[in-house]
Amino acid sequence: MFLEFKKEAEHVLKEALKKASYEYEGVDLEESEHADLASRIAFSLARPYKNSPAIIAEDIVKHLEIPAENTLIADAVAVGPYINFYANDLFLQMTLQEIKEGIATERKRGKIILEHTSANPDGPLHIGHLRNAIIGDVLVRVLERAGYEVETQYYLNDMGRQIAVVVWGAERLAYDATKKTDHAVAEVYIAANRMLEENNELLDEVGELMRKYEAGDADVIRKYKAAVQKCLSGIQASFERLNIQQVVFVWESEFARSGAVKGVIEELKQKGDIKREGAAILLQLEGIEKALVIQRTDGTSLYTTRDLAYHRWKGKNCDRVIDVFGKDHELVSQQLAKALELLGVKAPEFVIFAFVSLPSGSLSTRAGRYISADELMDKIEEQAYTEVDKRRDDLDESKKRKIARKVGIGALRYDMVKVSPDKHIVFDFDDALDIEKKGAPFIQYSHARACSILRAAEEKGYAVSEDYDAALLKERSEIELIKKLSKFCHIIEEAASDLKTHQVAKSARELAESFNLFYKDCPVLTADAELRKSRLALVDCARIVLRDVLAVLGIEAPEEM
RNA sequence: GGGCCCGUGGCUUAGCUAGGAUAAAGCACCGGCCUUCUAAGCCGGGGAUCGCGGGUUCGAAUCCCGCCGGGUCCGCCA
């Protein structure tokens, strides 16, 4: 409902500006701690109209006309240079009504192909991939909630040297059948790398595998598929445990063999600024100093070219392309965008996130220097279990485990998504396992409390009904809570347009905070019958929005904790 | 060497795109609150030259320039 309120305030303010004959660019209407909405427009009018901001604000307010009925605005006043808008009782009432009826998200806004994670299938996901996967997955959920149809893709780099090393290693070493499959693959990969380092002449065999794979040798393809699938099934299991939504795996090799890569190279030769160094082909892109190699001296394709073919295909098959990439892909993504422009295909929108490193340095699967997502999940769930166990010895074992899973994975997801993607993270195990009080468990706890009130109400025969009077909700904490609830759509809209998921995490925490204040201030079950009905309605609305905002974060909402 | 990103209380961060109302939170620390719907909660307290130096502006954490520290990338790896 906040969006409707903002729209109306904007309209009213624009009318006043027109009436007072001010020329303006934007109305500069923002959320504020001092009002429900505040405009700073008087500052920017001060200079052209040679008057103090306070006088101009006063003048604008004089011309302001708030409709007599059917309005969401209670009042608009000039406070010094600021014009402050306040929402009225109808706004509060409509907010609750809208939540109860279900917030409409029927608007169809087109199709998005979003790519995230795309980790090489040479081992398990590690904490770096985790950041990619979680940011990507929350983005998917935000965009879906905002009305887009989203297909999530995982680009599978099966043509690189790493995978060739895995395939080569698998012919000489046995997978450890006792381990999760992706971990078994990593062991072979690490061991194979060591063998190759000690015997450089064996590298030719790896090169031979790569050539045969690109050429389409049936036997080699079979070996590759087996190795990649082995790793993938492990990765997929981790995704499920992390509550990552369904992804479609797109194999890089398909673009190489389908002729799409050749097609891209031919097209770039015609449309681009090409130079040749021997048999290699280089593409000079506008504004980028370094030329992009699009074909090797030996005539084979490169990762970049194949990626270009992939992105051309994506661009043609949806309305928006979004890529969640690590910082190391920043230059590559700029080159990609420029080259796609040459090809006449829309460029992707990039969400670039900074690295996760360990105190000992950067992560490396090949060197075995990483913390796997599985290990982290195991430990955090265990930690969550001891926390549950500490508080709830009345519950049976399976119930405690179930809650611990939700809390542990939730805490992990929240911690990853709460910080801005361009912040570099140095991973600290103790820190990660310190189930932060104001993180996911805090929000989940608020949800559980709301559920608990509703359960107790039902037992006493006080069912939530449509028959309540929102006007009875006059306590400060009640009003604050409703206002927080009203912002849900606004938060989703902002996150969907800025592609900034960490703000959703922050808003979710603030909502939980508001609920906890209400919980403390306003007894529900012991209130008078009429007030009780209103408060029960509010609790139910809070439950719905807390559940929804957690769902957008991909965090499960337990009904008890 | 060049490009891009980050630098905010002891620690982790939000705010920076579109400059404005006392710089906002969490952790840690100190003190208080469970006979009332789950204390994973609530209330109070101390603690910040917003990396440093200039500039623009009536006004700068926010914009511009320089420097320092960290990260990342820089043609035939992916």
Side-chain angles (χ1 to χ4, degrees):
Chain A
M1 197 46 57
F2 181 78
L3 287 170
E4 286 82 349
F5 171 64
K6 187 172 180 182
K7 221 175 190 172
E8 198 198 343
E10 241 169 50
H11 174 74
V12 167
L13 185 55
K14 280 181 181 171
E15 287 296 310
L17 286 160
K18 208 195 286 175
K19 227 175 283 171
S21 333
Y22 286 110
E23 298 275 339
Y24 62 94
E25 278 178 26
V27 289
D28 214 2
L29 204 55
E30 292 295 332
E31 290 170 76
S32 160
E33 52 184 309
H34 306 281
D36 295 322
L37 278 171
S39 171
R40 297 172 303 202
I41 191 173
F43 281 113
S44 49
L45 296 176
R47 187 183 296 274
Y49 290 92
K50 293 188 171 52
N51 224 330
S52 84
I55 290 174
I56 291 174
E58 193 64 48
D59 185 43
I60 293 168
V61 168
K62 249 183 244 157
H63 289 84
L64 242 159
E65 279 179 33
I66 296 165
E69 53 188 22
N70 254 330
T71 179
L72 300 173
I73 304 170
D75 204 4
V77 296
V79 178
Y82 301 92
I83 301 169
N84 289 349
F85 287 83
Y86 303 92
N88 66 10
D89 290 347
L90 180 63
F91 170 81
L92 301 178
Q93 184 195 319
M94 296 286 286
T95 294
L96 296 187
Q97 194 181 322
E98 187 189 38
I99 294 166
K100 283 199 157 292
E101 285 168 359
I103 301 167
T105 47
E106 291 312 304
R107 294 155 301 150
K108 286 271 175 274
R109 298 174 116 173
K111 181 174 175 178
I112 294 175
I113 294 179
L114 185 145
E115 177 189 344
H116 73 65
T117 312
S118 301
N120 290 330
D122 56 14
L125 298 176
H126 59 56
I127 50 177
H129 304 127
L130 216 51
R131 189 172 197 193
N132 191 328
I134 292 168
I135 290 172
D137 187 58
V138 173
L139 218 41
V140 169
R141 291 164 185 269
V142 164
L143 292 165
E144 281 177 346
R145 183 78 209 207
Y148 292 96
E149 178 199 341
V150 185
E151 178 173 321
T152 313
Q153 296 189 351
Y154 182 121
Y155 186 54
L156 205 55
N157 304 131
D158 59 331
M159 297 192 73
R161 191 176 162 278
Q162 301 97 318
I163 309 313
V165 170
V166 172
V167 173
W168 180 86
E171 289 185 317
R172 285 159 184 77
L173 305 156
Y175 292 118
D176 185 341
T178 64
K179 295 229 159 110
K180 186 158 167 281
T181 56
D182 46 348
H183 290 257
V185 169
E187 278 186 351
V188 166
Y189 176 60
I190 293 164
N193 264 300
R194 211 169 297 137
M195 289 165 69
L196 290 166
E197 270 165 32
E198 286 161 9
N199 299 288
N200 273 318
E201 67 280 6
L202 293 173
L203 281 171
D204 293 342
E205 296 181 25
V206 175
E208 180 66 13
L209 274 174
M210 289 173 73
R211 272 188 296 281
K212 282 185 174 170
Y213 188 57
E214 180 156 0
D217 181 298
D219 189 45
V220 172
I221 289 178
R222 193 183 45 75
K223 287 176 185 164
Y224 261 73
K225 284 242 164 2
V228 172
Q229 282 298 356
K230 190 163 194 76
C231 193
L232 231 48
S233 65
I235 287 174
Q236 206 146 17
S238 299
F239 270 174
E240 276 165 36
R241 192 170 168 196
L242 275 165
N243 205 20
I244 303 287
Q245 288 189 321
Q246 178 76 44
V247 303
V248 176
F249 291 99
V250 179
W251 294 58
E252 181 184 22
S253 52
E254 284 173 22
F255 289 92
R257 295 207 203 91
S258 73
V261 172
K262 276 209 173 69
V264 165
I265 292 172
E266 286 312 310
E267 208 176 327
L268 286 172
K269 277 192 202 162
Q270 288 166 24
K271 295 180 176 171
D273 178 4
I274 289 293
K275 65 181 170 178
R276 288 166 191 272
E277 283 180 16
I281 302 173
L282 283 75
L283 175 67
Q284 189 62 51
L285 291 162
E286 192 196 330
I288 295 173
E289 203 186 333
K290 298 281 178 178
L292 182 67
V293 179
I294 59 173
Q295 187 175 294
R296 285 196 189 96
T297 307
D298 67 3
T300 57
S301 65
L302 288 98
Y303 163 82
T304 330
T305 332
R306 300 189 291 266
D307 204 21
L308 207 45
Y310 171 46
H311 275 83
R312 183 172 68 161
W313 174 78
K314 284 202 280 192
K316 286 179 175 173
N317 284 286
C318 67
D319 303 297
R320 283 174 77 184
V321 180
I322 299 174
D323 291 331
V324 183
F325 284 167
K327 199 103 186 70
D328 54 337
H329 277 61
E330 202 164 33
L331 177 60
V332 173
S333 59
Q334 281 167 27
Q335 293 171 325
L336 198 59
K338 287 280 181 198
L340 286 167
E341 200 181 301
L342 276 178
L343 296 171
V345 180
K346 66 175 151 305
E349 299 160 61
F350 298 104
V351 175
I352 303 284
F353 66 94
F355 274 31
V356 181
S357 60
L358 296 174
S360 56
S362 59
L363 302 168
S364 164
T365 303
R366 185 176 47 212
R369 188 173 60 241
Y370 61 87
I371 293 169
S372 76
D374 298 306
E375 183 187 354
L376 180 54
M377 286 189 277
D378 287 346
K379 288 196 175 164
I380 205 162
E381 281 185 10
E382 205 46 49
Q383 183 62 33
Y385 180 81
T386 62
E387 297 291 333
V388 177
D389 194 44
K390 221 189 299 181
R391 295 160 231 262
R392 300 298 301 270
D393 52 6
D394 57 314
L395 295 177
D396 63 53
E397 181 68 11
S398 79
K399 227 169 187 174
K400 282 192 281 193
R401 286 282 167 201
K402 212 169 157 187
I403 294 169
R405 258 201 303 280
K406 292 179 181 180
V407 169
I409 299 301
L412 178 57
R413 288 189 63 119
Y414 191 89
D415 282 347
M416 277 288 175
V417 83
K418 74 177 179 189
V419 4
S420 162
D422 40 38
K423 227 98 174 180
H424 176 217
I425 294 175
V426 179
F427 184 83
D428 181 300
F429 232 123
D430 293 336
D431 227 43
L433 293 183
D434 176 20
I435 308 251
E436 213 180 303
K437 284 181 188 142
K438 294 256 171 160
F442 177 78
I443 306 162
Q444 290 171 314
Y445 184 64
S446 303
H447 178 265
R449 278 178 144 184
C451 291
S452 168
I453 293 176
L454 295 169
R455 260 196 313 272
E458 208 179 327
E459 276 166 24
K460 294 191 176 190
Y462 310 151
V464 174
S465 78
E466 299 312 304
D467 170 36
Y468 67 92
D469 183 3
L472 297 176
L473 302 170
K474 290 196 181 311
E475 291 290 329
R476 186 184 196 63
S477 57
E478 289 170 329
I479 291 166
E480 282 308 307
L481 175 57
I482 298 170
K483 284 180 178 173
K484 280 279 168 21
L485 296 174
S486 77
K487 288 188 179 166
F488 180 69
C489 291
H490 170 66
I491 290 156
I492 298 299
E493 281 302 306
E494 293 270 292
S497 69
D498 298 345
L499 303 180
K500 282 185 179 169
T501 49
H502 65 287
Q503 296 296 356
V504 179
K506 189 181 170 229
S507 304
R509 205 204 66 225
E510 287 172 358
L511 173 59
E513 236 159 31
S514 290
F515 181 78
N516 282 331
L517 287 185
F518 160 78
Y519 184 93
K520 176 191 62 109
D521 284 351
C522 305
V524 177
L525 302 178
T526 54
D528 290 342
E530 288 308 305
L531 183 58
R532 188 181 66 225
K533 282 186 196 166
S534 302
R535 285 184 175 167
L536 271 176
L538 178 53
V539 170
D540 198 35
C541 286
R543 191 206 97 232
I544 291 167
V545 178
L546 281 166
R547 181 200 64 197
D548 285 2
V549 76
L550 283 170
V552 167
L553 293 169
I555 297 170
E556 294 193 67
E559 292 181 8
E560 62 178 322
M561 277 174 75

